[in-house]
């Protein structure tokens, strides 16, 4: 029935794994000001504050209690069993999709646990939290690594590849995202404009201004496995 699926995920898919979302009650943006911890200007002003914000989220990710949930596992199953093309683009910087087994995927907002040389752009896997000792090995003198995170006002990663996938897909699914931050919030429009069926999975009710053709309301860990089952059985509308 479908030959090319693009899935977009947001913080809501990791909520049931114990990771905070940004804009729900008790979310990250209630605790921190975006301009302080998620902009280049904030990093210039106080790099230590920004490093602490990401160190905390990275250490939380290494907590044994934080595991991929059934939604992450279902998407990895879809990649394994779907006979067509599947591309997963996530706004999340956690590694729960990889730990669930997803491989054909892209982190458009960067990744926790990785640092980037501010001069060369080279990416390094972190072996200890951000601080004085985290420097690049590509420059002389070595440069202090910045978080490999796309901040507000910066260009997301992989946009050419994402656009290509959106223009070719016939099914676009957005899971656990508030659709408030562009360019990700505009992906539904691109996919729909190119003829794809667009489906949204969210714990919240369908937004009256939503552009999605279908809306599945529910917890991602329950709704995504059911949706994957329907897709693999070719029964999306039953
Ligand atoms: N199951 C399904 N959906 C859920 C669940 C759940 N268990 N819990 C929360 N949600 C939904 C919420 O209803 C909301 O629509 O997930 C969404 C989370 O929205 P945000 O907190 O805004 O997160 P996200 O959409 O990923 O934010 C996008 O904003 O601040 C930037 O870079 C940050 O990547 C992030 C981007």
């Amino acid at each position: 029935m479908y030959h090319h699926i693009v899935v977009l995920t947001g913080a809501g898919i990791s909520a049931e794994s114990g990771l905070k979302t940004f804009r729900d009650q008790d979310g990250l943006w209630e605790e921190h000001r975006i301009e302080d911890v998620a902009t280049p200007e904030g990093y210039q002003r106080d790099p230590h504050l920004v490093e602490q914000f990401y160190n905390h989220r990275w250490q939380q990710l290494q907590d044994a209690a934080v595991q991929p949930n059934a939604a992450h596992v279902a998407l990895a199953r879809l990649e394994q069993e779907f006979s067509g093309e599947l591309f997963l683009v996530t706004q999340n910087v956690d590694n729960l999709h990889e730990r669930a087994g997803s491989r054909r995927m892209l982190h458009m907002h960067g990744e926790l646990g990785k640092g980037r040389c501010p001069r060369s752009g080279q990416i390094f896997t972190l072996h200890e939290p951000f601080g004085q000792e985290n420097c690049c090995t590509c420059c002389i003198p070595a440069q202090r690594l910045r978080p490999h995170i796309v901040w507000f006002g910066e260009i997301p990663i992989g946009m050419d590849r994402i656009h290509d996938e959106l223009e070719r897909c016939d099914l676009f699914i957005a899971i656990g995202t508030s659709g408030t931050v562009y360019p990700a919030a505009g992906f539904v429009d691109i996919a729909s404009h190119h003829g794809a069926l667009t489906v949204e999975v969210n714990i919240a009710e369908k937004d009256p201004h939503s552009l999605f053709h279908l809306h599945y309301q529910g917890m991602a860990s329950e709704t995504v496995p059911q949706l994957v089952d329907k897709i693999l059985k070719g029964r999306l509308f039953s």
Side-chain angles (χ1 to χ4, degrees):
M1 177 92 165
Y2 293 99
H3 306 289
H4 188 147
I5 303 176
V6 171
V7 179
L8 168 70
T9 60
I13 198 171
S14 298
E16 292 162 81
S17 297
L19 297 179
K20 285 189 172 189
T21 64
F22 294 94
R23 296 172 182 82
D24 290 318
Q25 196 176 359
D26 191 29
L28 287 168
W29 296 150
E30 281 186 9
E31 292 168 9
H32 306 273
R33 291 183 344 136
I34 287 176
E35 50 271 41
D36 290 340
V37 296
T39 62
E41 297 77 13
Y43 182 66
Q44 291 304 324
R45 207 168 36 245
D46 187 348
H48 183 61
L49 174 70
V50 176
E51 288 170 349
Q52 278 185 312
F53 176 62
Y54 290 104
N55 282 343
H56 173 69
R57 292 176 67 197
W58 182 41
Q59 273 141 15
Q60 197 188 20
L61 202 48
Q62 297 169 72
D63 180 336
V66 176
Q67 294 294 331
N69 63 57
H72 298 102
V73 172
L75 290 180
R77 176 185 167 218
L78 185 62
E79 178 180 314
Q80 287 294 319
E81 298 181 18
F82 179 56
S83 56
E85 281 189 68
L86 176 82
F87 177 65
L88 168 62
V89 51
T90 185
Q91 300 172 92
N92 299 340
V93 294
D94 66 56
N95 60 359
L96 297 179
H97 282 303
E98 292 90 332
R99 286 165 57 188
S102 289
R103 291 294 172 268
R104 282 206 298 281
M105 63 173 289
L106 187 150
H107 284 273
M108 66 180 287
H109 288 168
E111 297 172 69
L112 291 171
K114 292 193 176 173
R116 192 190 322 153
C117 171
R119 180 177 294 168
S120 71
Q122 191 171 330
I123 297 164
F124 296 83
T125 298
L126 296 179
H127 299 293
E128 58 263 329
F130 283 109
Q132 287 299 349
E133 67 283 1
N134 262 318
C135 289
C136 76
T137 55
C138 50
C139 304
I140 298 174
Q143 302 292 306
R144 180 180 180 152
L145 294 179
R146 59 160 276 180
H148 177 47
I149 300 288
V150 177
W151 287 323
F152 285 90
E154 295 185 322
I155 298 169
I157 296 160
M159 288 307 296
D160 289 347
R161 168 76 190 280
I162 294 169
H163 275 276
D164 173 57
E165 296 280 349
L166 290 170
E167 288 164 9
R168 292 190 298 119
C169 75
D170 50 17
L171 179 58
F172 173 72
I173 305 169
I175 302 167
T177 180
S178 58
T180 48
V181 175
Y182 285 82
F187 290 173
V188 56
D189 215 6
I190 299 170
S192 178
H193 179 74
H194 285 84
L197 174 75
T198 59
V199 178
E200 180 176 39
V201 175
N202 202 299
I203 199 169
E205 283 180 358
K206 178 167 183 160
D207 181 310
H209 306 294
S210 169
L211 296 174
F212 286 89
H213 298 120
L214 294 177
H215 181 89
Y216 288 92
Q217 182 178 359
M219 309 263 284
S221 67
E222 291 166 10
T223 317
V224 176
Q226 292 164 3
L227 179 62
V228 165
D229 236 19
K230 284 173 179 266
I231 292 169
L232 290 174
K233 288 176 180 159
R235 294 210 314 257
L236 189 53
F237 292 99
S238 57

